[in-house]
């Protein structure tokens, strides 16, 4: 289909200093958990984005010098010529598709602890370094500032040699240049104190970088349009003054906001275009092009912001991760096929755990080089085999789509009246409605595949499957929350678990409303305990959240939302008991036990919702394993995140009757 002419403006070229972006689709720098450690994995992934139509594709943060590393979080680096060669791989992949390649030069200053190099971190003053790490920086003297500028210029020149078109001066987030910009920089020399002094380092770096590489490279500045404050990140007075001062110096302003958990906000807390209010003034104070992000997945939102003059370039990290082919899909009039980001931030957990990026919606993300997976193409079928998939949750649906695209005949049998499995249920919990996109995209795809059919309200058993006689069966029947409390903390059932007031997340999602007061026991530690507590509190119950961890929903630190969850829980008036397990449950109370001292006390509770671990629904698999070619996928294999279910469904479909790229599961660098 031809492109809807409404969207023509998104495909206009944009001049950025000495270079021209072929369109307005701009993949801003984003971490990948690959960095300097996995250059081929990185290059191939970035190349796929360029292939998908992103006119500009940037690297992640790229350390300019060994005086700053961010280990265990993997960053790129441009310390020497070896790094030039490895980042040139990315540049070449991006250029091969006619896109511009950008590099985000980075120095962490007090933002990194230098676990790798063991060099003392540097900062505008002697101040705490890293996150909760027991180190401080060495205060930079004048010669350190000169050194920093030298390192930055040397890295910029290396970037130019690697072939980059856009070189960043990175003055946002909690890193070195921003540390100079903030009011907390109280240096008494010309680099601290007054606003002009605090902005001096940034000014000098922009001017000198332009002098050094500006003949062939655009110089971009990543900058925060706010400095936080009590008014919900709306304190924009100083950033505005700074852009008024520096506005015409760089070739491009890449604008973000102060609060990273808002910039990278999950859909539970931040809507699409969430930064708009904070940064919409920027184009009024500079004539240079402006790019910003906002988890844009709707072409209409992109169009509105460009038309209204809020941005010139549509910045994206997550939308380009969930669907590297958004620009091409808009260009080809296939907007309905955009695989929309759900705002879960599983992608960010890669960086946070020091592992390659993965995505709930896009199972090929991070697998482009090591498994040879492509988000839009898949090998055709090897035979005329038929496949029965039992269960239409994320694993079953993803397997059906991928197998269907390969050309196999696929039948899904789903017990419930709707497809989507846990996603359909969980997306009805407070704040999680965008997760339904996991199901919606797959249903849209299935609608276009005549060789995939599904049957609802079809609980299939062993005899029916044998009678149906498919060539292969994939069991995708999910998992069930345990009622007995066994999990990370409890090896044995909790005393009293079989009482009438004991419920599980499955019960709550099926519509059971417990009697209050209610205890939610979270030994799962991701989102489910916190979100169930939120739901019950909003229904008017007195709620106590008990967890053996030291903070609520502790794994959500990796999705950059833990403190927002904690804030919401406290503001709702939910009582929080951390560092406590449940020792026993009785009719109108539970005994909670301190995990450190063993001290117990009773709290009133008419009901307890137990979120500890899940049992795979694998009965059918074991009944049939000796009789038919059968496999388990998703939660029925190993309960995990929605992302692991989608990945499991996808890999089982890719690998059916296929030869693997290498005799091990994936290629290594
Ligand atoms: P996953 O994340 O692995 O996809 P889900 O729990 O989300 O797992 O989905 C499993 C789906 O399987 C649910 O929609 C459930 O209704 C369905 N299901 C479970 N047992 C059967 C069965 N015997 N026959 C058909 N469908 C089943
Ligand atoms: Fe979006 Fe989640 Fe994929 Fe990240 S992991 S890109 S937030 S769908």
């Amino acid at each position: 289909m031809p492109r809807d002419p409404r969207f023509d403006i998104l495909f206009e070229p944009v001049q950025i200093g000495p270079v021209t972006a072929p369109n307005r689709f701009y993949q801003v720098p984003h971490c990948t958990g690959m960095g300097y450690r996995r250059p081929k994995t990185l290059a191939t992934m970035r190349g796929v984005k360029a292939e998908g139509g992103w006119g500009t594709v940037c690297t992640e943060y790229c350390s300019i010098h060994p005086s700053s590393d961010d280990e265990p979080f993997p960053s790129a680096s441009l310390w020497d010529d070896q790094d030039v060669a490895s980042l040139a791989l990315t540049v070449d992949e991006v250029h091969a598709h006619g896109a511009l390649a950008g590099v985000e030069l980075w120095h962490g200053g007090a933002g990194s602890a230098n676990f790798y190099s063991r060099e003392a971190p540097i900062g505008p003053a002697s101040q705490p370094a890293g996150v909760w790490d027991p180190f401080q920086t060495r205060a930079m003297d004048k010669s350190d500032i000169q050194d920093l500028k030298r390192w930055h210029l040397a890295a910029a020149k290396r970037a130019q040699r690697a072939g980059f078109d856009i070189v960043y001066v990175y003055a946002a987030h909690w890193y070195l240049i921003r540390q100079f910009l903030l009011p907390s920089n109280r240096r008494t020399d010309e680099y601290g104190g007054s606003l002009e002094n605090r902005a001096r380092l940034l000014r000098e770096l922009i001017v000198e970088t332009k002098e050094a590489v500006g003949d062939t490279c655009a110089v971009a500045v990543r900058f925060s349009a706010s400095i936080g404050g009590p008014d919900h990140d709306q304190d924009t007075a100083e950033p505005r003054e700074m852009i008024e001062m520096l506005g015409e110096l760089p070739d491009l302003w890449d604008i973000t906001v102060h609060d990273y958990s808002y910039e990278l906000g999950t859909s539970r807390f931040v809507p699409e275009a969430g930064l708009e209010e904070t940064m919409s003034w920027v184009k009024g104070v500079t004539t240079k092009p402006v790019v910003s992000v906002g988890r844009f997945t709707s072409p209409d939102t992109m169009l509105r912001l460009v038309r209204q003059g809020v941005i010139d370039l549509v910045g994206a990290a997550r939308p380009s991760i969930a669907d590297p082919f958004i620009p091409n899909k808009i260009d080809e009039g296939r907007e309905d096929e955009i695989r929309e980001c759900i705002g879960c931030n599983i992608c960010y957990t890669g960086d946070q755990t020091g592992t390659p990026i993965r995505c709930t919606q896009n199972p090929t993300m991070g697998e482009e080089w090591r498994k040879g997976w492509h988000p839009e193409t898949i090998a055709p079928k090897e035979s005329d085999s038929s496949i029965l998939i039992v269960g239409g949750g994320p694993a079953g649906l993803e397997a059906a789509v991928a197998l269907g695209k390969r050309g196999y005949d696929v039948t899904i049998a789903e017990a419930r009246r709707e497809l989507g499995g846990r996603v359909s249920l969980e997306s009805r919990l407070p704040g999680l409605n965008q997760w339904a996109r996991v199901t919606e995209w797959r249903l849209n795809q299935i609608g276009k595949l005549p060789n995939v059919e599904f049957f609802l309200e079809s609980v299939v058993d062993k005899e029916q499957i044998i009678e149906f006689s498919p060539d292969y069966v994939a069991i995708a029947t999910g998992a069930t929350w345990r009622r007995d409390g066994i999990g990370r903390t409890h090896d044995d059932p909790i005393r009293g678990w079989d009482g009438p007031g004991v419920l599980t997340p499955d019960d709550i999602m099926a519509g059971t409303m417990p009697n209050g007061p209610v205890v939610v026991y979270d030994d799962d530690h991701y989102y489910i305990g916190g979100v169930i507590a939120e739901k019950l509190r909003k229904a008017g119950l007195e709620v106590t959240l008990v967890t053996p961890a030291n903070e609520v929903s502790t794994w959500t630190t990796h999705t950059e939302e833990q403190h927002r969850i904690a804030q919401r829980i406290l503001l709702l008036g939910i009582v929080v008991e951390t560092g406590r397990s449940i020792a026993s449950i009785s009719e109108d109370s539970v005994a909670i036990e301190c995990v450190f001292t063993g001290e117990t006390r009773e709290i009133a509770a008419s009901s307890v919702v137990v979120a500890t671990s899940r049992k795979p629904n694998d009965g059918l698999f074991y009944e049939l394993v000796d009789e038919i070619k059968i496999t388990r996928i998703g939660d029925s294999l190993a309960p995990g995140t929605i992302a692991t279910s989608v990945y499991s469904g996808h890999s089982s479909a890719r690998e059916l009757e296929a030869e693997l790229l290498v005799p091990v599961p994936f290629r290594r660098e």
Side-chain angles (χ1 to χ4, degrees), residues 10-43:
L10 299 177
F11 292 87
E12 289 173 349
V14 179
Q15 189 73 33
I16 311 175
V19 299
T20 307
N23 60 35
R24 295 185 189 270
F25 296 96
Y26 189 108
Q27 183 243 276
V28 295
H30 72 75
C31 57
T32 62
M34 296 171 188
Y36 74 90
R37 297 183 200 165
R38 300 175 176 103
K40 292 180 191 160
T41 315
L42 184 63

Coordinates of all heavy atoms in Angstrom, one line a residue, residues 10-43:
L10 N 6.9 13.3 7.8 CA 7.8 12.5 8.6 C 9.0 12.0 7.8 O 10.0 11.5 8.3 CB 7.1 11.3 9.3 CG 5.9 11.7 10.2 CD1 5.3 10.4 10.8 CD2 6.5 12.5 11.4
F11 N 8.8 12.0 6.5 CA 9.8 11.5 5.6 C 10.6 12.6 4.9 O 11.4 12.3 4.0 CB 9.2 10.5 4.6 CG 8.6 9.3 5.2 CD1 7.4 9.3 5.8 CD2 9.4 8.2 5.4 CE1 6.9 8.1 6.5 CE2 9.0 7.0 6.1 CZ 7.7 7.0 6.6
E12 N 10.5 13.8 5.4 CA 11.3 14.9 4.8 C 12.7 14.8 5.4 O 12.9 14.5 6.6 CB 10.7 16.2 5.3 CG 9.4 16.6 4.6 CD 8.8 17.8 5.2 OE1 9.3 18.3 6.3 OE2 7.8 18.3 4.6
P13 N 13.7 15.1 4.6 CA 15.1 15.1 5.1 C 15.3 16.3 6.1 O 14.5 17.3 6.0 CB 16.0 15.3 3.9 CG 15.1 15.7 2.8 CD 13.6 15.4 3.2
V14 N 16.2 16.2 7.0 CA 16.4 17.3 8.0 C 17.9 17.6 8.0 O 18.8 16.6 8.2 CB 16.0 16.9 9.4 CG1 16.3 18.0 10.4 CG2 14.5 16.5 9.4
Q15 N 18.3 18.8 7.8 CA 19.7 19.2 7.8 C 20.2 19.3 9.2 O 19.5 20.0 10.1 CB 19.8 20.6 7.1 CG 21.2 21.1 6.9 CD 21.9 20.3 5.7 OE1 21.2 19.9 4.8 NE2 23.2 20.1 5.9
I16 N 21.2 18.6 9.6 CA 21.8 18.7 10.9 C 23.3 19.1 10.7 O 24.1 18.3 10.5 CB 21.7 17.4 11.7 CG1 20.3 16.8 11.6 CG2 22.1 17.5 13.1 CD1 20.2 15.4 12.2
G17 N 23.5 20.4 10.8 CA 24.9 20.9 10.6 C 25.4 20.4 9.2 O 24.7 20.6 8.2
P18 N 26.5 19.8 9.1 CA 27.1 19.4 7.8 C 26.5 18.1 7.2 O 26.8 17.7 6.1 CB 28.6 19.2 8.1 CG 28.6 18.7 9.6 CD 27.5 19.4 10.2
V19 N 25.6 17.5 8.0 CA 25.0 16.2 7.4 C 23.5 16.4 7.3 O 22.9 17.3 7.9 CB 25.3 15.0 8.4 CG1 26.8 14.8 8.4 CG2 24.7 15.2 9.8
T20 N 22.9 15.4 6.6 CA 21.4 15.5 6.3 C 20.8 14.1 6.7 O 21.2 13.1 6.2 CB 21.1 15.7 4.8 OG1 21.8 16.9 4.5 CG2 19.6 16.0 4.6
A21 N 19.9 14.2 7.7 CA 19.2 13.0 8.0 C 18.1 12.7 6.9 O 17.4 13.7 6.5 CB 18.5 13.1 9.3
P22 N 18.1 11.5 6.4 CA 17.2 11.2 5.3 C 15.7 11.4 5.6 O 14.8 11.5 4.7 CB 17.5 9.8 4.8 CG 18.2 9.2 6.0 CD 18.9 10.3 6.7
N23 N 15.4 11.3 6.9 CA 14.0 11.4 7.3 C 14.0 11.9 8.8 O 15.0 12.1 9.4 CB 13.1 10.1 7.1 CG 13.7 9.0 7.9 OD1 14.2 9.1 9.0 ND2 13.6 7.8 7.3
R24 N 12.8 11.9 9.4 CA 12.7 12.5 10.8 C 12.7 11.4 11.8 O 12.5 11.7 13.0 CB 11.4 13.3 10.9 CG 11.3 14.5 10.0 CD 10.1 15.3 10.3 NE 9.9 16.4 9.4 CZ 10.4 17.6 9.5 NH1 11.1 17.9 10.6 NH2 10.2 18.6 8.6
F25 N 12.9 10.1 11.4 CA 12.9 9.0 12.4 C 14.3 8.9 12.9 O 15.3 8.6 12.2 CB 12.5 7.7 11.7 CG 11.0 7.8 11.3 CD1 10.7 8.1 10.0 CD2 10.0 7.6 12.2 CE1 9.4 8.2 9.5 CE2 8.7 7.6 11.7 CZ 8.4 8.0 10.4
Y26 N 14.5 9.1 14.2 CA 15.8 9.2 14.8 C 15.9 8.3 16.1 O 15.2 8.5 17.1 CB 15.9 10.7 15.3 CG 17.3 11.1 15.7 CD1 18.1 12.0 14.9 CD2 17.8 10.8 17.0 CE1 19.3 12.4 15.4 CE2 19.0 11.2 17.4 CZ 19.8 12.0 16.6 OH 21.0 12.5 17.1
Q27 N 16.7 7.3 15.9 CA 16.9 6.4 17.1 C 17.9 7.1 18.0 O 19.1 7.1 17.7 CB 17.3 5.0 16.6 CG 17.5 4.1 17.8 CD 18.9 3.6 18.0 OE1 19.3 2.6 17.4 NE2 19.7 4.2 18.9
V28 N 17.5 7.6 19.1 CA 18.3 8.3 20.0 C 19.3 7.2 20.7 O 19.0 6.0 20.6 CB 17.5 9.0 21.1 CG1 16.7 10.1 20.6 CG2 16.7 8.0 21.9
P29 N 20.4 7.7 21.3 CA 21.3 6.8 22.0 C 20.5 6.0 23.0 O 19.7 6.5 23.8 CB 22.3 7.7 22.7 CG 22.3 9.0 21.9 CD 20.8 9.1 21.4
H30 N 20.7 4.7 23.0 CA 20.1 3.9 24.1 C 21.0 2.7 24.4 O 21.6 2.1 23.5 CB 18.7 3.4 23.8 CG 18.5 2.3 22.7 ND1 18.8 1.0 23.0 CD2 18.1 2.4 21.5 CE1 18.6 0.3 21.9 NE2 18.2 1.1 20.9
C31 N 21.0 2.3 25.7 CA 21.9 1.2 26.2 C 21.4 -0.1 25.6 O 20.2 -0.2 25.3 CB 22.0 1.2 27.7 SG 20.4 1.1 28.5
T32 N 22.3 -1.0 25.5 CA 21.9 -2.3 24.9 C 22.4 -3.5 25.7 O 22.2 -4.7 25.4 CB 22.5 -2.5 23.5 OG1 23.9 -2.4 23.6 CG2 22.0 -1.4 22.6
G33 N 23.2 -3.2 26.7 CA 23.9 -4.4 27.4 C 24.9 -5.1 26.5 O 25.4 -6.2 26.8
M34 N 25.3 -4.4 25.4 CA 26.3 -5.0 24.5 C 27.6 -4.2 24.6 O 28.7 -4.7 24.9 CB 25.7 -5.0 23.1 CG 24.5 -5.8 22.9 SD 23.8 -5.6 21.3 CE 22.3 -6.5 21.4
G35 N 27.5 -2.9 24.2 CA 28.7 -2.0 24.3 C 30.0 -2.6 23.7 O 29.9 -3.3 22.7
Y36 N 31.1 -2.3 24.3 CA 32.4 -2.7 23.8 C 32.6 -4.2 23.9 O 33.4 -4.8 23.2 CB 33.5 -2.0 24.5 CG 33.8 -2.5 25.9 CD1 34.7 -3.6 26.0 CD2 33.2 -2.0 27.0 CE1 34.9 -4.1 27.3 CE2 33.4 -2.5 28.2 CZ 34.3 -3.5 28.4 OH 34.5 -4.0 29.7
R37 N 31.7 -4.9 24.7 CA 31.9 -6.3 24.9 C 31.4 -7.1 23.7 O 31.9 -8.3 23.5 CB 31.2 -6.8 26.1 CG 31.6 -6.2 27.4 CD 30.8 -6.9 28.5 NE 30.7 -6.1 29.7 CZ 29.9 -6.3 30.7 NH1 29.0 -7.2 30.6 NH2 29.9 -5.5 31.8
R38 N 30.4 -6.6 23.0 CA 29.8 -7.5 21.9 C 29.6 -6.6 20.7 O 28.5 -6.3 20.3 CB 28.5 -8.0 22.5 CG 28.6 -8.9 23.7 CD 27.3 -9.3 24.3 NE 27.5 -10.2 25.4 CZ 27.4 -9.8 26.7 NH1 27.0 -8.6 27.0 NH2 27.5 -10.7 27.7
P39 N 30.7 -6.3 20.0 CA 30.6 -5.3 18.9 C 29.8 -5.9 17.7 O 29.1 -5.1 17.0 CB 32.0 -5.0 18.5 CG 32.8 -6.1 19.1 CD 32.1 -6.6 20.3
K40 N 29.9 -7.2 17.4 CA 29.1 -7.7 16.2 C 27.7 -7.8 16.6 O 26.8 -7.5 15.7 CB 29.7 -9.1 15.9 CG 31.1 -9.0 15.3 CD 31.5 -10.4 14.9 CE 33.0 -10.4 14.7 NZ 33.6 -11.8 14.8
T41 N 27.3 -8.2 17.8 CA 25.9 -8.3 18.2 C 25.3 -6.9 18.1 O 24.2 -6.7 17.6 CB 25.9 -8.7 19.7 OG1 26.8 -9.8 19.9 CG2 24.5 -9.1 20.1
L42 N 26.1 -5.9 18.5 CA 25.6 -4.5 18.5 C 25.4 -4.0 17.1 O 24.4 -3.4 16.7 CB 26.7 -3.7 19.2 CG 26.4 -2.2 19.4 CD1 25.1 -2.0 20.3 CD2 27.6 -1.5 20.1
A43 N 26.5 -4.2 16.3 CA 26.4 -3.7 14.9 C 25.3 -4.2 14.1 O 24.6 -3.5 13.4 CB 27.8 -4.0 14.2

